[in-house]
Amino acid sequence: MSDTRDPARPDAAASAFATLQVQAGYTPGTAQNTAVPPIYQSNAYEFPSLAHARDVFALRTLGNVYSRTSNPTQLVLEERIARLEGGRSAVAVASGQAASAGAVLALASQGHHVVAARQLYGGTVDLLADSLADLGIDVTFVDQDDLDGWRAAARPETRAFFAESITNPLATVLDVRAVADIAHEAGVPLVIDNTVATPFLLRPGDHGADLVVHSVTKYLGGHGTALGGVVVDMGRFDFGADPQRWPQFTHPSPRFGDQVLWERFGPTGQALTVYLRSKYVHDFGPTLSAWSAFQLLQGIETLDLRMRRHSDTALEVARFLAQRPEVARVHHPGLEGSPWHAAAQRYLPRGTSAVFAFDLVATEDPAADDARLERVIDALRVVRLAANIGDARSMVSHPASMTHGHMSAQQLAQAGISPTTIRLSIGLEDPADLIADLAHALDAA
């Protein structure tokens, strides 16, 4: 074994027991030749000098400071996802919800406005319509397919458009290019939640999106064992074109030592991510642990293999459900009769969504419909009842009373979710077993 002792440090043999038990055997900064990204399980990082520490804290140079804001294992995760999405920089956080919140807060503050799709995941609707409203950020929800609605909703105080590439739970497919063009006409970036698609099926930045967020918890991680989120900046939106609209990037700030982030980090596509990390991640602390970052990296290594299996099996299941008399409608863009089939062919050539929904045939008796719904879901044995998607396991949920349960009846109807809508997230099991399980459950109806 090579001698890694630091000659600049006191001789360990001359140190007292208490000093040895804390410091012996390790020299900070010593490189190792591990083939797999290691887990850097450390809260803090040693600086070689006070001058270097001052430069890092003042953002005159970038480096590890404290694991509340970043960790070397996390940095590998950020770089990997940024590269997969075709972006220039990224910030990983503790959950997908934290990523969505961080992306919006980096762009909008009190008195500002966001235009968002009605078809968003229920937790994102809660975030935008409730929590961010408490912070003085107004939100207008529009039908994602109503291009004139997007255009009409923009105001001078608008700071972002927000939508999902493939929606949860109905798997509607956004015309990313068209909405991006409208956002840019309004002078604002388009933020896309790409959780359901993943960069394997769709890279929104290739079609004009400016920021991409993920719940890395889902398909990117893939195993249902770690939470995480990420914000990826494509690095193309020109915040310097309208400096008065984006003072957080184009004006000096005491927090950043009177540096102008756009001048310092704009050319490298890092201005927004440095701002997000140094302000909101630093202040609010939505920290991703090194262990979680490591687990999520392991999942990403098999992303393409898993997404092909997820997508192929989901389409097979959707076609089966479309033939069942108990099913009124299957919401899957891979089916030829779907209103989003053409969009799926354009944007999703590698495969369509493995998260989708179907509606049971409804009657005029809501109580009877609800009892039937419970019989179907409770009869499932292979498909698990769980509030998650993108897992190796197939899962079922009832959006109207679970993931979208905080939405009003009007909001649910506008999003296309009925009381008899059932969401599926198709996993990696054998397709025949999943179809047999669903057939058994529908027979119980």
Side-chain angles (χ1 to χ4, degrees):
M1 180 180 291
S2 62
D3 188 348
T4 60
R5 290 176 295 179
D6 185 349
R9 291 177 178 268
D11 185 356
S15 300
F17 185 90
T19 302
L20 291 174
Q21 71 183 10
V22 174
Q23 297 194 10
Y26 176 66
T27 301
T30 302
Q32 303 295 335
N33 59 330
T34 60
V36 175
I39 304 168
Y40 288 91
Q41 196 67 45
S42 180
N43 293 341
Y45 305 91
E46 185 173 329
F47 300 100
S49 67
L50 179 57
H52 180 75
R54 285 171 169 164
D55 285 343
V56 173
F57 270 82
L59 294 181
R60 288 188 291 269
T61 187
L62 297 180
N64 298 314
V65 175
Y66 189 65
S67 280
R68 184 173 76 246
T69 53
S70 67
N71 174 283
T73 311
Q74 172 188 333
L75 296 177
V76 176
L77 178 69
E78 292 170 352
E79 173 69 14
R80 188 162 297 177
I81 297 176
R83 292 286 297 275
L84 290 173
E85 282 288 4
R88 298 186 68 188
S89 62
V91 175
V93 288
S95 69
Q97 192 78 333
S100 295
V104 174
L105 289 172
L107 298 168
S109 57
Q110 186 175 23
H112 291 156
H113 173 248
V114 173
V115 185
R118 288 175 180 162
Q119 293 88 342
L120 294 173
Y121 159 65
T124 309
V125 173
D126 291 342
L127 168 70
L128 295 173
D130 190 1
S131 293
L132 293 187
D134 290 344
L135 301 179
I137 300 173
D138 191 22
V139 179
T140 298
F141 290 97
V142 300
D143 187 316
Q144 70 168 37
D145 298 319
D146 182 0
L147 300 182
D148 290 335
W150 285 101
R151 188 173 288 108
R155 311 173 189 168
E157 62 270 22
T158 301
R159 293 297 180 270
F161 281 17
F162 193 109
E164 295 174 8
S165 53
I166 301 176
T167 63
N168 170 11
L170 299 187
T172 60
V173 181
L174 183 75
D175 189 341
V176 181
R177 171 56 65 183
V179 177
D181 289 346
I182 296 169
H184 298 156
E185 288 171 12
V188 302
L190 172 62
V191 183
I192 292 292
D193 184 337
N194 201 35
T195 297
V196 174
T198 81
F200 177 73
L201 296 183
L202 170 64
R203 299 205 317 180
D206 292 347
H207 304 281
D210 302 288
L211 297 180
V212 173
V213 299
H214 281 276
S215 175
V216 190
T217 310
K218 309 303 193 297
Y219 287 112
L220 286 172
H223 301 110
T225 57
L227 294 174
V230 71
V231 180
V232 180
D233 186 0
M234 297 299 113
R236 290 194 300 264
F237 189 84
D238 187 1
F239 293 104
D242 190 355
Q244 298 307 312
R245 196 172 200 176
W246 309 105
Q248 66 270 47
F249 305 118
T250 60
H251 289 49
S253 167
R255 177 183 285 259
F256 305 115
D258 291 327
Q259 290 190 84
V260 176
L261 294 182
W262 189 246
E263 294 176 358
R264 171 74 173 82
F265 298 106
T268 59
Q270 296 175 290
L272 184 139
T273 52
V274 167
Y275 178 72
L276 173 58
R277 191 190 309 277
S278 300
K279 183 172 183 177
Y280 292 107
V281 178
H282 175 276
D283 290 3
F284 295 155
T287 304
L288 180 69
S289 75
W291 172 240
S292 292
F294 174 81
Q295 289 179 293
L296 297 170
L297 280 166
Q298 302 309 295
I300 290 174
E301 290 182 354
T302 59
L303 179 64
D304 65 333
L305 304 175
R306 291 184 289 104
M307 290 308 295
R308 290 185 192 277
R309 178 66 176 264
H310 283 299
S311 297
D312 290 348
T313 302
L315 184 55
E316 192 172 342
V317 171
R319 287 172 173 158
F320 159 76
L321 290 170
Q323 305 303 314
R324 291 290 302 210
E326 303 88 353
V327 175
R329 183 179 181 185
V330 180
H331 304 273
H332 192 289
L335 299 178
E336 288 74 8
S338 168
W340 295 275
H341 185 64
Q345 290 183 308
R346 176 184 178 188
Y347 287 106
L348 303 167
R350 285 178 161 177
T352 46
S353 179
V355 174
F356 68 99
F358 65 96
D359 299 336
L360 292 178
V361 172
T363 69
E364 296 182 359
D365 185 344
D369 289 344
D370 193 58
R372 190 183 195 204
L373 178 86
E374 288 193 8
R375 287 196 301 273
V376 170
I377 291 177
D378 291 347
L380 292 167
R381 292 294 177 266
V382 178
V383 182
R384 314 293 183 87
L385 177 58
N388 193 23
I389 61 171
D391 200 322
R393 284 146 288 278
S394 292
M395 292 167 289
V396 64
S397 72
H398 180 233
S401 63
M402 293 175 63
T403 55
H404 295 65
H406 295 162
M407 293 170 62
S408 68
Q410 181 182 12
Q411 287 176 311
L412 289 170
Q414 289 175 337
I417 300 170
S418 79
T420 63
T421 298
I422 295 173
R423 183 187 74 182
L424 293 174
S425 173
I426 299 301
L428 301 177
E429 302 92 348
D430 190 285
D433 289 336
L434 296 173
I435 289 172
D437 194 38
L438 286 161
H440 167 75
L442 291 170
D443 288 342

